[in-house]
Amino acid sequence: MSKRRIVVALGGNAILSKDASAEAQQNALRETAKSLVKFIKNGDELIVSHGNGPQVGNLLLQQAAGSTETNPAMPIDTAVAMTQGSIGYWLQNALDEVITAAGLDVSVATVVTQVEVSPDDQAFSDPSKPIGPFYSEEEAKVQSATHPDFKFVEDAGRGYRRVVPSPKPIDVHEALVVEKLVKSGVVPISVGGGGVPVVREGNRLVGREAVIDKDFASEKLAEQVRADLLIILTAVDHVFVNFNTPNQKALEDVTINELKKYVDENQFAKGSMLPKVQAAIDFVENSDNGRAVITSLDNIANFLENGDGTVISKVPASTLI
């Protein structure tokens, strides 16, 4: 098999579950790294991205609780950069450990990444990106009373979460840096948490209060570095239609036209699977021969061995050589 350039998008919820301590998140990332190193052993060029929804939400709550006139809370864009750094450090450290144990000569580098968005994006007036912990309805009411500037919504049947603006990425500012690193044999960790949201004002990039969806940012990065595969990791091995019903069906090899039909049928939950599906469609549409894969971290070995997972392409898999 020829060398492939692969962007693997890791969800923030895969890093943090119930235990928000640094130790628990570092332990989770050590297990994650054991799966990611399989791509390096396979001879692939690996680029890793990650979410930060739980982490940045928790950080913003901590800052709000301790904010004073002389030590004010930082804006959301800066909090995104802070969690890019902390999660990147943990993941870089974990990958270094498993790479060394595997006897591989590969370096890892975290790139604090700015992602340009449009200042006119309607997302700024319609917050929709869930961040932070899940709350019951009563807990969300308490949080709303404590933080009247925060907006809370029900998130895909899993509880209530704070939502913030989530503009669409139009350019990954450090994409060229990432491409140079991967060409040099380095594993870059990039667009962490969707990247720091910035808008262009002349020669300046200016931060905005938002959190970009990491799947869309990962798609844009994969597009700009000319990746062969965009792999979006989630909690399940496959995307399903009629999910959680007696006639649910796992999607294996599927075209973007078939996926668009399922999107029109509202088959995918807005707060969870829908952005992953939309990002996969965008990448396949905007690349020459690229494919997208949606699967779980635990299923990586099966994907590498026999292509197991939801594989999205422009044309039916049976026509591909």
Side-chain angles (χ1 to χ4, degrees):
M1 181 181 293
S2 61
K3 180 185 292 187
R4 301 172 298 180
R5 182 170 295 171
I6 301 175
V7 174
V8 176
L10 178 69
N13 286 303
I15 306 164
L16 186 158
S17 54
K18 293 182 180 179
D19 188 344
S21 68
E23 182 180 6
Q25 294 185 74
Q26 286 172 296
N27 286 337
L29 282 168
R30 286 191 188 96
E31 293 304 310
T32 296
K34 292 175 184 177
S35 294
L36 294 178
V37 79
K38 293 182 174 83
F39 290 104
I40 303 172
K41 289 180 178 179
N42 198 53
D44 295 317
E45 293 181 340
L46 177 65
I47 300 167
V48 184
S49 64
H50 62 81
N52 73 339
Q55 294 84 2
V56 75
N58 288 350
L59 177 58
L60 290 169
L61 286 173
Q62 291 166 1
Q63 292 203 51
S67 181
T68 65
E69 185 175 344
T70 56
N71 186 27
M74 294 293 103
I76 296 177
D77 59 296
T78 301
V80 171
M82 293 165 74
T83 53
Q84 269 196 28
S86 60
I87 297 172
Y89 152 58
W90 292 335
L91 181 54
Q92 181 175 318
N93 184 276
L95 280 168
D96 280 338
E97 182 179 327
V98 298
I99 286 169
T100 300
L104 300 168
D105 184 19
V106 178
S107 297
V108 186
T110 300
V111 180
V112 176
T113 315
Q114 302 170 97
V115 176
E116 189 177 346
V117 300
S118 169
D120 301 319
D121 195 306
Q122 64 180 9
F124 286 111
S125 58
D126 184 22
S128 63
K129 174 65 177 173
I131 63 171
F134 291 92
Y135 299 103
S136 68
E137 187 174 1
E138 287 304 313
E139 289 170 335
K141 288 179 180 178
V142 172
Q143 288 293 326
S144 293
T146 305
H147 306 288
D149 293 336
F150 292 3
K151 178 182 177 182
F152 293 84
V153 301
E154 201 279 327
D155 180 9
R158 298 175 292 180
Y160 286 78
R161 296 176 80 186
R162 182 187 173 189
V163 290
V164 298
S166 184
K168 286 289 187 73
I170 59 177
D171 179 66
V172 177
H173 187 64
E174 286 78 18
L176 183 59
V177 174
V178 172
E179 187 167 19
K180 286 181 177 179
L181 285 170
V182 79
K183 282 182 176 179
S184 301
V186 176
V187 175
I189 301 169
S190 181
V191 294
V196 179
V198 295
V199 298
R200 184 168 295 280
E201 295 181 1
N203 292 328
R204 295 182 62 209
L205 293 174
V206 181
R208 283 290 183 267
E209 294 258 330
V211 173
I212 301 168
D213 185 278
K214 75 98 177 42
D215 295 317
F216 288 119
S218 301
E219 182 282 319
K220 184 58 66 175
L221 175 65
E223 187 183 322
Q224 289 183 243
V225 301
R226 296 178 287 278
D228 300 297
L229 277 177
L230 168 64
I231 301 179
I232 299 175
L233 298 180
T234 186
V236 291
D237 295 350
H238 298 86
V239 179
F240 288 85
V241 292
N242 304 316
F243 186 60
N244 272 345
T245 68
N247 61 333
Q248 75 173 16
K249 174 188 173 185
L251 300 179
E252 295 180 349
D253 292 304
V254 61
T255 67
I256 54 176
N257 286 337
E258 290 170 325
L259 268 189
K260 288 177 181 179
K261 182 186 72 171
Y262 292 134
V263 169
D264 291 341
E265 294 173 359
N266 296 316
Q267 287 279 358
F268 311 117
K270 289 184 178 179
S272 56
M273 189 57 73
L274 181 60
K276 297 173 180 18
V277 167
Q278 290 174 324
I281 291 171
D282 287 349
F283 173 67
V284 174
E285 280 192 324
N286 293 320
S287 63
D288 291 335
N289 297 301
R291 294 182 297 158
V293 180
I294 301 176
T295 191
S296 69
L297 186 68
D298 293 338
N299 197 48
I300 282 178
N302 289 330
F303 168 72
L304 287 172
E305 184 176 340
N306 55 38
D308 187 46
T310 297
V311 181
I312 301 110
S313 54
K314 283 180 181 169
V315 297
S318 60
T319 68
L320 296 174
I321 298 175

